[in-house]
Amino acid sequence: MRNSIKVERAIKNLTQEELAEKVGVSRQTINAIELNKYIPSSVLAIKIARFFKKPVEDIFILEKND
Amino acid sequence: MKSKYLFPNKWKKIGIMILVPGIILFLLNTFLNFEIKGLEINVFSLLNPETDSNVKGNFVWLNDNLTNEIAMILFIIGGILTAFSKEKNEDEFISKIRLDSLVWATYINYILLILSVIFFYGTPFLVIINLNMFTILVLFILRFNFILFQGSKKINNEKFN
């Protein structure tokens, strides 16, 4: 699964830390998600999507091998 | 994702303050036979094979210096608190690192033990067993904190794009 958090963050002009604070996780978590090293739980994915006011699937995109 | 079995974050500092003197005392005691004078008291021993001391039989009282007992208890309690206190921002990703590190530490611990079984015999092996009581905790603490540290380092360089 890939995601467009970095792009969304750039649009809103937010740092990883600011986004992490808004959705209530650590900076490491946002960093690991952006680097595709960690797939967030559905709860966190929905929280992130809600924060960006977009459907979850606009931000988290399934890939062929998923 | 909340773990039921972790201690509050502030206990980590307390854990480190117990762990460090525990490790130092344990190493001094194990390798240099250091003992704190005046800690000799009568202790109750459940099993006491006659070769062990001049007091024979089981369920007996015997005199012992408590230095190594204190060192081991400090090591274990300090290690547990250091390893299993919540991080300041314990979340699902940190829980995952915690689990991965625990699995990793268990594997490495037993690989080291297997190698020790093969390459050490007699008294040196007893020393290894003595050390092996703590390696799993030490390996976990090192690996877990190293990964957390790595993650925070990358973020310091973080810029948009």
Short mmCIF file of all heavy atoms in Angstrom, two decimals, chain A:
data_model
loop_
_atom_site.label_atom_id
_atom_site.label_comp_id
_atom_site.label_asym_id
_atom_site.label_seq_id
_atom_site.Cartn_x
_atom_site.Cartn_y
_atom_site.Cartn_z
N MET A 1 0.83 -1.20 0.00
CA MET A 1 0.00 0.00 0.00
C MET A 1 0.87 1.25 0.00
O MET A 1 1.85 1.32 0.71
CB MET A 1 -0.91 -0.01 1.24
CG MET A 1 -1.95 1.07 1.21
SD MET A 1 -3.25 0.77 2.41
CE MET A 1 -2.54 1.50 3.87
N ARG A 2 0.51 2.19 -0.87
CA ARG A 2 1.23 3.46 -0.81
C ARG A 2 0.25 4.55 -0.34
O ARG A 2 -0.94 4.29 -0.20
CB ARG A 2 1.83 3.80 -2.17
CG ARG A 2 0.83 3.97 -3.27
CD ARG A 2 1.50 3.88 -4.64
NE ARG A 2 0.47 3.82 -5.66
CZ ARG A 2 -0.18 4.88 -6.14
NH1 ARG A 2 0.10 6.08 -5.68
NH2 ARG A 2 -1.12 4.74 -7.06
N ASN A 3 0.77 5.73 -0.09
CA ASN A 3 -0.10 6.79 0.40
C ASN A 3 0.39 8.15 -0.04
O ASN A 3 1.54 8.30 -0.46
CB ASN A 3 -0.19 6.73 1.92
CG ASN A 3 1.14 7.00 2.57
OD1 ASN A 3 1.59 8.13 2.64
ND2 ASN A 3 1.81 5.93 3.01
N SER A 4 -0.50 9.12 0.03
CA SER A 4 -0.16 10.46 -0.45
C SER A 4 -0.08 11.46 0.70
O SER A 4 -0.36 12.64 0.53
CB SER A 4 -1.21 10.91 -1.46
OG SER A 4 -2.49 10.91 -0.84
N ILE A 5 0.31 10.96 1.87
CA ILE A 5 0.34 11.85 3.04
C ILE A 5 1.31 13.01 2.83
O ILE A 5 1.02 14.15 3.16
CB ILE A 5 0.73 11.05 4.31
CG1 ILE A 5 -0.38 10.05 4.64
CG2 ILE A 5 0.95 11.99 5.49
CD1 ILE A 5 -0.11 9.24 5.85
N LYS A 6 2.46 12.68 2.26
CA LYS A 6 3.48 13.71 2.07
C LYS A 6 2.95 14.86 1.21
O LYS A 6 3.16 16.03 1.53
CB LYS A 6 4.71 13.08 1.41
CG LYS A 6 5.97 13.85 1.68
CD LYS A 6 7.18 13.03 1.30
CE LYS A 6 8.44 13.72 1.79
NZ LYS A 6 9.60 12.86 1.72
N VAL A 7 2.24 14.48 0.14
CA VAL A 7 1.67 15.49 -0.75
C VAL A 7 0.62 16.33 -0.01
O VAL A 7 0.64 17.57 -0.05
CB VAL A 7 1.01 14.81 -1.98
CG1 VAL A 7 0.41 15.85 -2.91
CG2 VAL A 7 2.03 13.94 -2.71
N GLU A 8 -0.28 15.63 0.69
CA GLU A 8 -1.33 16.32 1.44
C GLU A 8 -0.73 17.26 2.48
O GLU A 8 -1.22 18.36 2.72
CB GLU A 8 -2.24 15.30 2.14
CG GLU A 8 -2.96 14.35 1.20
CD GLU A 8 -3.99 15.06 0.32
OE1 GLU A 8 -4.47 16.14 0.72
OE2 GLU A 8 -4.29 14.54 -0.77
N ARG A 9 0.35 16.79 3.09
CA ARG A 9 1.03 17.59 4.09
C ARG A 9 1.62 18.85 3.46
O ARG A 9 1.52 19.95 4.03
CB ARG A 9 2.15 16.74 4.69
CG ARG A 9 2.29 16.86 6.17
CD ARG A 9 3.04 15.71 6.77
NE ARG A 9 4.17 15.19 6.03
CZ ARG A 9 5.34 15.81 5.90
NH1 ARG A 9 5.54 16.98 6.46
NH2 ARG A 9 6.33 15.24 5.23
N ALA A 10 2.21 18.67 2.30
CA ALA A 10 2.81 19.82 1.60
C ALA A 10 1.73 20.84 1.25
O ALA A 10 1.94 22.05 1.39
CB ALA A 10 3.53 19.34 0.35
N ILE A 11 0.56 20.35 0.81
CA ILE A 11 -0.54 21.26 0.45
C ILE A 11 -0.95 22.08 1.67
O ILE A 11 -1.15 23.29 1.59
CB ILE A 11 -1.76 20.46 -0.09
CG1 ILE A 11 -1.39 19.79 -1.42
CG2 ILE A 11 -2.98 21.37 -0.25
CD1 ILE A 11 -2.40 18.77 -1.90
N LYS A 12 -1.04 21.41 2.81
CA LYS A 12 -1.45 22.12 4.04
C LYS A 12 -0.29 22.80 4.74
O LYS A 12 -0.47 23.41 5.80
CB LYS A 12 -2.10 21.13 5.01
CG LYS A 12 -3.51 20.71 4.60
CD LYS A 12 -4.35 20.48 5.84
CE LYS A 12 -5.82 20.38 5.48
NZ LYS A 12 -6.69 20.64 6.62
N ASN A 13 0.92 22.63 4.18
CA ASN A 13 2.11 23.22 4.77
C ASN A 13 2.31 22.80 6.23
O ASN A 13 2.51 23.63 7.12
CB ASN A 13 2.06 24.74 4.65
CG ASN A 13 3.44 25.35 4.80
OD1 ASN A 13 4.44 24.65 4.62
ND2 ASN A 13 3.48 26.63 5.13
N LEU A 14 2.26 21.47 6.44
CA LEU A 14 2.43 20.93 7.78
C LEU A 14 3.71 20.11 7.87
O LEU A 14 4.09 19.46 6.90
CB LEU A 14 1.27 19.98 8.11
CG LEU A 14 -0.09 20.56 8.49
CD1 LEU A 14 -1.09 19.41 8.56
CD2 LEU A 14 0.00 21.26 9.82
N THR A 15 4.38 20.12 9.02
CA THR A 15 5.49 19.21 9.23
C THR A 15 4.94 17.86 9.70
O THR A 15 3.77 17.77 10.10
CB THR A 15 6.46 19.73 10.30
OG1 THR A 15 5.74 19.82 11.52
CG2 THR A 15 7.02 21.08 9.92
N GLN A 16 5.80 16.85 9.65
CA GLN A 16 5.39 15.53 10.16
C GLN A 16 4.94 15.64 11.62
O GLN A 16 3.96 15.03 12.02
CB GLN A 16 6.56 14.55 10.07
CG GLN A 16 6.86 14.11 8.64
CD GLN A 16 7.98 13.09 8.58
OE1 GLN A 16 8.81 13.02 9.49
NE2 GLN A 16 8.01 12.32 7.51
N GLU A 17 5.68 16.43 12.37
CA GLU A 17 5.38 16.55 13.78
C GLU A 17 3.99 17.16 14.01
O GLU A 17 3.23 16.71 14.87
CB GLU A 17 6.44 17.39 14.48
CG GLU A 17 6.25 17.41 15.98
CD GLU A 17 7.45 17.97 16.72
OE1 GLU A 17 8.36 18.51 16.04
OE2 GLU A 17 7.47 17.87 17.95
N GLU A 18 3.68 18.20 13.23
CA GLU A 18 2.37 18.85 13.39
C GLU A 18 1.24 17.89 13.05
O GLU A 18 0.24 17.81 13.76
CB GLU A 18 2.30 20.10 12.51
CG GLU A 18 3.12 21.25 13.07
CD GLU A 18 3.40 22.35 12.04
OE1 GLU A 18 3.36 22.07 10.83
OE2 GLU A 18 3.68 23.47 12.46
N LEU A 19 1.42 17.14 11.95
CA LEU A 19 0.40 16.16 11.58
C LEU A 19 0.27 15.09 12.66
O LEU A 19 -0.85 14.72 13.06
CB LEU A 19 0.74 15.51 10.23
CG LEU A 19 -0.20 14.38 9.81
CD1 LEU A 19 -1.64 14.87 9.67
CD2 LEU A 19 0.27 13.73 8.50
N ALA A 20 1.41 14.63 13.16
CA ALA A 20 1.40 13.60 14.21
C ALA A 20 0.59 14.07 15.41
O ALA A 20 -0.23 13.33 15.95
CB ALA A 20 2.83 13.28 14.63
N GLU A 21 0.83 15.32 15.80
CA GLU A 21 0.11 15.89 16.93
C GLU A 21 -1.40 15.92 16.68
O GLU A 21 -2.19 15.57 17.54
CB GLU A 21 0.61 17.31 17.15
CG GLU A 21 0.97 17.61 18.59
CD GLU A 21 1.68 18.95 18.67
OE1 GLU A 21 0.98 19.97 18.58
OE2 GLU A 21 2.93 18.96 18.78
N LYS A 22 -1.76 16.33 15.45
CA LYS A 22 -3.19 16.46 15.12
C LYS A 22 -3.92 15.12 15.19
O LYS A 22 -5.09 15.07 15.56
CB LYS A 22 -3.37 17.04 13.71
CG LYS A 22 -2.70 18.38 13.51
CD LYS A 22 -3.62 19.53 13.85
CE LYS A 22 -2.95 20.84 13.46
NZ LYS A 22 -3.45 21.99 14.20
N VAL A 23 -3.24 14.03 14.78
CA VAL A 23 -3.92 12.74 14.78
C VAL A 23 -3.53 11.88 15.99
O VAL A 23 -3.97 10.74 16.11
CB VAL A 23 -3.67 11.95 13.46
CG1 VAL A 23 -4.31 12.68 12.29
CG2 VAL A 23 -2.20 11.72 13.23
N GLY A 24 -2.70 12.46 16.86
CA GLY A 24 -2.43 11.79 18.13
C GLY A 24 -1.49 10.59 18.06
O GLY A 24 -1.71 9.58 18.73
N VAL A 25 -0.44 10.70 17.23
CA VAL A 25 0.58 9.64 17.22
C VAL A 25 1.96 10.28 17.32
O VAL A 25 2.07 11.50 17.39
CB VAL A 25 0.50 8.77 15.94
CG1 VAL A 25 -0.77 7.97 15.91
CG2 VAL A 25 0.63 9.63 14.69
N SER A 26 3.01 9.43 17.32
CA SER A 26 4.38 9.96 17.40
C SER A 26 4.85 10.40 16.01
O SER A 26 4.30 9.98 15.00
CB SER A 26 5.31 8.88 17.95
OG SER A 26 5.36 7.80 17.04
N ARG A 27 5.90 11.23 16.01
CA ARG A 27 6.48 11.68 14.74
C ARG A 27 7.00 10.50 13.95
O ARG A 27 6.89 10.44 12.72
CB ARG A 27 7.64 12.65 15.00
CG ARG A 27 7.22 13.87 15.78
CD ARG A 27 8.41 14.75 16.04
NE ARG A 27 9.42 14.08 16.88
CZ ARG A 27 10.68 14.46 16.97
NH1 ARG A 27 11.11 15.49 16.30
NH2 ARG A 27 11.52 13.82 17.75
N GLN A 28 7.59 9.54 14.67
CA GLN A 28 8.14 8.35 14.01
C GLN A 28 7.08 7.62 13.19
O GLN A 28 7.36 7.08 12.12
CB GLN A 28 8.71 7.37 15.05
CG GLN A 28 10.06 7.76 15.59
CD GLN A 28 9.94 8.41 16.95
OE1 GLN A 28 8.96 9.11 17.21
NE2 GLN A 28 10.90 8.19 17.81
N THR A 29 5.86 7.60 13.71
CA THR A 29 4.79 6.87 13.04
C THR A 29 4.48 7.48 11.67
O THR A 29 4.41 6.78 10.66
CB THR A 29 3.53 6.87 13.91
OG1 THR A 29 3.89 6.37 15.20
CG2 THR A 29 2.45 6.00 13.31
N ILE A 30 4.31 8.81 11.64
CA ILE A 30 4.02 9.49 10.37
C ILE A 30 5.17 9.28 9.40
O ILE A 30 4.98 8.96 8.23
CB ILE A 30 3.79 11.01 10.61
CG1 ILE A 30 2.59 11.24 11.54
CG2 ILE A 30 3.60 11.74 9.28
CD1 ILE A 30 1.26 10.81 10.99
N ASN A 31 6.40 9.41 9.92
CA ASN A 31 7.59 9.20 9.08
C ASN A 31 7.59 7.80 8.47
O ASN A 31 7.79 7.63 7.27
CB ASN A 31 8.84 9.42 9.94
CG ASN A 31 10.10 9.42 9.11
OD1 ASN A 31 10.16 10.10 8.08
ND2 ASN A 31 11.08 8.66 9.53
N ALA A 32 7.34 6.79 9.32
CA ALA A 32 7.38 5.40 8.84
C ALA A 32 6.26 5.15 7.83
O ALA A 32 6.45 4.41 6.86
CB ALA A 32 7.25 4.44 10.02
N ILE A 33 5.10 5.78 8.03
CA ILE A 33 3.99 5.59 7.07
C ILE A 33 4.37 6.21 5.73
O ILE A 33 4.20 5.61 4.67
CB ILE A 33 2.68 6.22 7.60
CG1 ILE A 33 2.22 5.50 8.87
CG2 ILE A 33 1.57 6.12 6.54
CD1 ILE A 33 1.04 6.19 9.57
N GLU A 34 4.93 7.41 5.77
CA GLU A 34 5.31 8.09 4.53
C GLU A 34 6.37 7.32 3.76
O GLU A 34 6.39 7.32 2.53
CB GLU A 34 5.84 9.50 4.84
CG GLU A 34 4.73 10.47 5.18
CD GLU A 34 5.25 11.90 5.30
OE1 GLU A 34 6.43 12.16 5.04
OE2 GLU A 34 4.44 12.78 5.67
N LEU A 35 7.26 6.66 4.49
CA LEU A 35 8.32 5.88 3.84
C LEU A 35 7.83 4.49 3.44
O LEU A 35 8.61 3.65 3.00
CB LEU A 35 9.53 5.74 4.78
CG LEU A 35 10.27 7.04 5.10
CD1 LEU A 35 11.30 6.80 6.20
CD2 LEU A 35 10.94 7.60 3.85
N ASN A 36 6.53 4.25 3.59
CA ASN A 36 5.93 2.94 3.31
C ASN A 36 6.55 1.81 4.12
O ASN A 36 6.60 0.67 3.70
CB ASN A 36 6.01 2.60 1.82
CG ASN A 36 5.11 3.51 1.00
OD1 ASN A 36 4.01 3.85 1.43
ND2 ASN A 36 5.59 3.92 -0.15
N LYS A 37 7.06 2.17 5.31
CA LYS A 37 7.66 1.15 6.18
C LYS A 37 6.62 0.61 7.14
O LYS A 37 6.85 -0.39 7.81
CB LYS A 37 8.80 1.76 6.99
CG LYS A 37 10.10 1.82 6.26
CD LYS A 37 11.18 2.25 7.23
CE LYS A 37 12.53 2.31 6.56
NZ LYS A 37 13.50 2.94 7.47
N TYR A 38 5.53 1.32 7.27
CA TYR A 38 4.52 0.90 8.23
C TYR A 38 3.13 1.18 7.67
O TYR A 38 2.88 2.26 7.15
CB TYR A 38 4.71 1.64 9.55
CG TYR A 38 3.65 1.32 10.57
CD1 TYR A 38 3.53 0.03 11.09
CD2 TYR A 38 2.74 2.29 11.00
CE1 TYR A 38 2.54 -0.27 12.00
CE2 TYR A 38 1.76 2.00 11.92
CZ TYR A 38 1.66 0.71 12.42
OH TYR A 38 0.69 0.41 13.32
N ILE A 39 2.25 0.18 7.78
CA ILE A 39 0.87 0.36 7.34
C ILE A 39 0.02 0.65 8.58
O ILE A 39 -0.01 -0.15 9.51
CB ILE A 39 0.36 -0.89 6.61
CG1 ILE A 39 1.16 -1.04 5.31
CG2 ILE A 39 -1.13 -0.78 6.34
CD1 ILE A 39 0.78 -2.23 4.49
N PRO A 40 -0.61 1.83 8.61
CA PRO A 40 -1.34 2.20 9.83
C PRO A 40 -2.57 1.32 10.04
O PRO A 40 -3.08 0.71 9.11
CB PRO A 40 -1.75 3.65 9.55
CG PRO A 40 -1.78 3.76 8.08
CD PRO A 40 -0.73 2.84 7.56
N SER A 41 -3.03 1.30 11.28
CA SER A 41 -4.29 0.62 11.57
C SER A 41 -5.41 1.37 10.86
O SER A 41 -5.25 2.52 10.46
CB SER A 41 -4.54 0.62 13.08
OG SER A 41 -4.78 1.95 13.50
N SER A 42 -6.56 0.70 10.71
CA SER A 42 -7.68 1.38 10.05
C SER A 42 -8.10 2.62 10.83
O SER A 42 -8.45 3.64 10.24
CB SER A 42 -8.85 0.41 9.87
OG SER A 42 -9.05 -0.32 11.05
N VAL A 43 -8.03 2.54 12.15
CA VAL A 43 -8.40 3.71 12.97
C VAL A 43 -7.54 4.91 12.61
O VAL A 43 -8.05 6.01 12.35
CB VAL A 43 -8.24 3.39 14.49
CG1 VAL A 43 -8.47 4.63 15.33
CG2 VAL A 43 -9.19 2.27 14.89
N LEU A 44 -6.23 4.68 12.54
CA LEU A 44 -5.32 5.80 12.25
C LEU A 44 -5.50 6.29 10.81
O LEU A 44 -5.48 7.50 10.55
CB LEU A 44 -3.87 5.37 12.52
CG LEU A 44 -2.81 6.44 12.25
CD1 LEU A 44 -3.11 7.73 12.99
CD2 LEU A 44 -1.43 5.92 12.63
N ALA A 45 -5.70 5.33 9.88
CA ALA A 45 -5.88 5.71 8.48
C ALA A 45 -7.11 6.63 8.35
O ALA A 45 -7.06 7.65 7.67
CB ALA A 45 -6.05 4.46 7.62
N ILE A 46 -8.20 6.26 9.03
CA ILE A 46 -9.42 7.07 8.96
C ILE A 46 -9.19 8.44 9.60
O ILE A 46 -9.60 9.47 9.08
CB ILE A 46 -10.60 6.32 9.61
CG1 ILE A 46 -10.94 5.08 8.77
CG2 ILE A 46 -11.82 7.23 9.73
CD1 ILE A 46 -11.91 4.13 9.43
N LYS A 47 -8.47 8.44 10.71
CA LYS A 47 -8.18 9.72 11.37
C LYS A 47 -7.40 10.65 10.45
O LYS A 47 -7.68 11.84 10.37
CB LYS A 47 -7.34 9.47 12.64
CG LYS A 47 -8.14 9.21 13.88
CD LYS A 47 -7.20 9.23 15.08
CE LYS A 47 -7.88 8.76 16.33
NZ LYS A 47 -6.91 8.57 17.43
N ILE A 48 -6.40 10.09 9.77
CA ILE A 48 -5.57 10.90 8.88
C ILE A 48 -6.43 11.43 7.72
O ILE A 48 -6.38 12.62 7.38
CB ILE A 48 -4.37 10.08 8.35
CG1 ILE A 48 -3.39 9.80 9.50
CG2 ILE A 48 -3.65 10.83 7.22
CD1 ILE A 48 -2.29 8.82 9.16
N ALA A 49 -7.24 10.52 7.14
CA ALA A 49 -8.09 10.94 6.02
C ALA A 49 -9.06 12.03 6.46
O ALA A 49 -9.26 13.03 5.76
CB ALA A 49 -8.85 9.73 5.49
N ARG A 50 -9.66 11.86 7.63
CA ARG A 50 -10.59 12.87 8.14
C ARG A 50 -9.91 14.21 8.34
O ARG A 50 -10.48 15.26 8.06
CB ARG A 50 -11.15 12.41 9.50
CG ARG A 50 -12.40 11.66 9.33
CD ARG A 50 -13.24 11.69 10.59
NE ARG A 50 -14.30 10.73 10.41
CZ ARG A 50 -15.06 10.27 11.36
NH1 ARG A 50 -14.86 10.67 12.61
NH2 ARG A 50 -16.00 9.41 11.11
N PHE A 51 -8.67 14.15 8.83
CA PHE A 51 -7.95 15.39 9.06
C PHE A 51 -7.76 16.14 7.74
O PHE A 51 -7.89 17.36 7.70
CB PHE A 51 -6.60 15.12 9.72
CG PHE A 51 -5.77 16.35 9.86
CD1 PHE A 51 -6.08 17.31 10.82
CD2 PHE A 51 -4.71 16.59 9.00
CE1 PHE A 51 -5.34 18.47 10.93
CE2 PHE A 51 -3.97 17.76 9.10
CZ PHE A 51 -4.28 18.69 10.07
N PHE A 52 -7.48 15.40 6.67
CA PHE A 52 -7.31 16.03 5.36
C PHE A 52 -8.64 16.24 4.64
O PHE A 52 -8.67 16.69 3.49
CB PHE A 52 -6.35 15.21 4.48
CG PHE A 52 -4.92 15.26 4.95
CD1 PHE A 52 -4.25 14.09 5.26
CD2 PHE A 52 -4.26 16.47 5.08
CE1 PHE A 52 -2.93 14.14 5.70
CE2 PHE A 52 -2.94 16.52 5.51
CZ PHE A 52 -2.28 15.35 5.83
N LYS A 53 -9.72 15.85 5.27
CA LYS A 53 -11.08 15.98 4.73
C LYS A 53 -11.19 15.30 3.36
O LYS A 53 -11.72 15.88 2.40
CB LYS A 53 -11.48 17.45 4.63
CG LYS A 53 -11.55 18.15 5.98
CD LYS A 53 -12.31 19.46 5.90
CE LYS A 53 -12.47 20.11 7.25
NZ LYS A 53 -11.20 20.67 7.79
N LYS A 54 -10.69 14.08 3.29
CA LYS A 54 -10.77 13.31 2.04
C LYS A 54 -11.16 11.88 2.38
O LYS A 54 -10.97 11.44 3.52
CB LYS A 54 -9.39 13.28 1.36
CG LYS A 54 -8.99 14.61 0.78
CD LYS A 54 -7.95 14.42 -0.29
CE LYS A 54 -7.77 15.73 -1.05
NZ LYS A 54 -6.72 15.64 -2.04
N PRO A 55 -11.72 11.15 1.39
CA PRO A 55 -11.99 9.73 1.63
C PRO A 55 -10.68 8.97 1.86
O PRO A 55 -9.65 9.34 1.28
CB PRO A 55 -12.65 9.26 0.32
CG PRO A 55 -13.03 10.49 -0.41
CD PRO A 55 -12.13 11.59 0.05
N VAL A 56 -10.75 7.93 2.68
CA VAL A 56 -9.55 7.15 3.02
C VAL A 56 -8.82 6.69 1.75
O VAL A 56 -7.59 6.76 1.67
CB VAL A 56 -9.92 5.93 3.88
CG1 VAL A 56 -8.68 5.11 4.20
CG2 VAL A 56 -10.59 6.38 5.16
N GLU A 57 -9.61 6.25 0.75
CA GLU A 57 -8.96 5.67 -0.43
C GLU A 57 -8.30 6.70 -1.34
O GLU A 57 -7.58 6.33 -2.26
CB GLU A 57 -9.97 4.82 -1.21
CG GLU A 57 -10.27 3.54 -0.44
CD GLU A 57 -11.14 2.57 -1.21
OE1 GLU A 57 -10.74 2.21 -2.33
OE2 GLU A 57 -12.21 2.21 -0.69
N ASP A 58 -8.54 7.97 -1.09
CA ASP A 58 -7.80 9.00 -1.83
C ASP A 58 -6.38 9.13 -1.29
O ASP A 58 -5.47 9.59 -1.98
CB ASP A 58 -8.49 10.36 -1.71
CG ASP A 58 -9.69 10.44 -2.63
OD1 ASP A 58 -10.03 9.39 -3.23
OD2 ASP A 58 -10.29 11.53 -2.75
N ILE A 59 -6.21 8.76 -0.03
CA ILE A 59 -4.92 8.93 0.60
C ILE A 59 -4.14 7.63 0.70
O ILE A 59 -2.93 7.59 0.50
CB ILE A 59 -5.11 9.58 1.99
CG1 ILE A 59 -5.63 11.01 1.80
CG2 ILE A 59 -3.81 9.59 2.78
CD1 ILE A 59 -5.98 11.70 3.06
N PHE A 60 -4.86 6.54 0.97
CA PHE A 60 -4.21 5.23 1.04
C PHE A 60 -4.64 4.41 -0.17
O PHE A 60 -5.83 4.16 -0.36
CB PHE A 60 -4.57 4.52 2.33
CG PHE A 60 -4.09 5.26 3.53
CD1 PHE A 60 -4.92 6.14 4.20
CD2 PHE A 60 -2.78 5.11 3.98
CE1 PHE A 60 -4.47 6.86 5.31
CE2 PHE A 60 -2.34 5.82 5.10
CZ PHE A 60 -3.18 6.69 5.73
N ILE A 61 -3.66 4.02 -0.97
CA ILE A 61 -3.95 3.34 -2.23
C ILE A 61 -3.37 1.94 -2.22
O ILE A 61 -2.17 1.75 -2.01
CB ILE A 61 -3.39 4.15 -3.43
CG1 ILE A 61 -3.98 5.57 -3.40
CG2 ILE A 61 -3.69 3.46 -4.75
CD1 ILE A 61 -2.99 6.64 -3.05
N LEU A 62 -4.26 0.96 -2.45
CA LEU A 62 -3.79 -0.43 -2.52
C LEU A 62 -2.94 -0.64 -3.75
O LEU A 62 -3.20 -0.06 -4.80
CB LEU A 62 -5.00 -1.38 -2.59
CG LEU A 62 -5.63 -1.82 -1.27
CD1 LEU A 62 -6.74 -2.83 -1.56
CD2 LEU A 62 -4.61 -2.41 -0.32
N GLU A 63 -1.93 -1.49 -3.63
CA GLU A 63 -1.10 -1.82 -4.78
C GLU A 63 -1.37 -3.26 -5.21
O GLU A 63 -2.02 -4.01 -4.51
CB GLU A 63 0.37 -1.63 -4.42
CG GLU A 63 0.73 -0.16 -4.32
CD GLU A 63 2.17 0.04 -3.92
OE1 GLU A 63 2.55 -0.50 -2.87
OE2 GLU A 63 2.89 0.73 -4.64
N LYS A 64 -0.81 -3.62 -6.37
CA LYS A 64 -1.11 -4.93 -6.95
C LYS A 64 -0.81 -6.09 -6.00
O LYS A 64 -1.56 -7.04 -5.91
CB LYS A 64 -0.29 -5.11 -8.24
CG LYS A 64 -1.07 -4.72 -9.47
CD LYS A 64 -0.30 -5.06 -10.74
CE LYS A 64 -0.97 -4.41 -11.94
NZ LYS A 64 -0.04 -4.29 -13.05
N ASN A 65 0.32 -6.00 -5.33
CA ASN A 65 0.73 -7.14 -4.50
C ASN A 65 0.08 -7.16 -3.11
O ASN A 65 0.39 -8.00 -2.29
CB ASN A 65 2.26 -7.20 -4.38
CG ASN A 65 2.82 -5.86 -3.91
OD1 ASN A 65 2.08 -4.88 -3.80
ND2 ASN A 65 4.10 -5.81 -3.64
N ASP A 66 -0.80 -6.23 -2.83
CA ASP A 66 -1.49 -6.20 -1.53
C ASP A 66 -2.61 -7.25 -1.50
O ASP A 66 -3.27 -7.46 -2.50
CB ASP A 66 -2.08 -4.81 -1.25
CG ASP A 66 -0.99 -3.86 -0.77
OD1 ASP A 66 -0.11 -4.32 -0.04
OD2 ASP A 66 -1.05 -2.69 -1.14
#
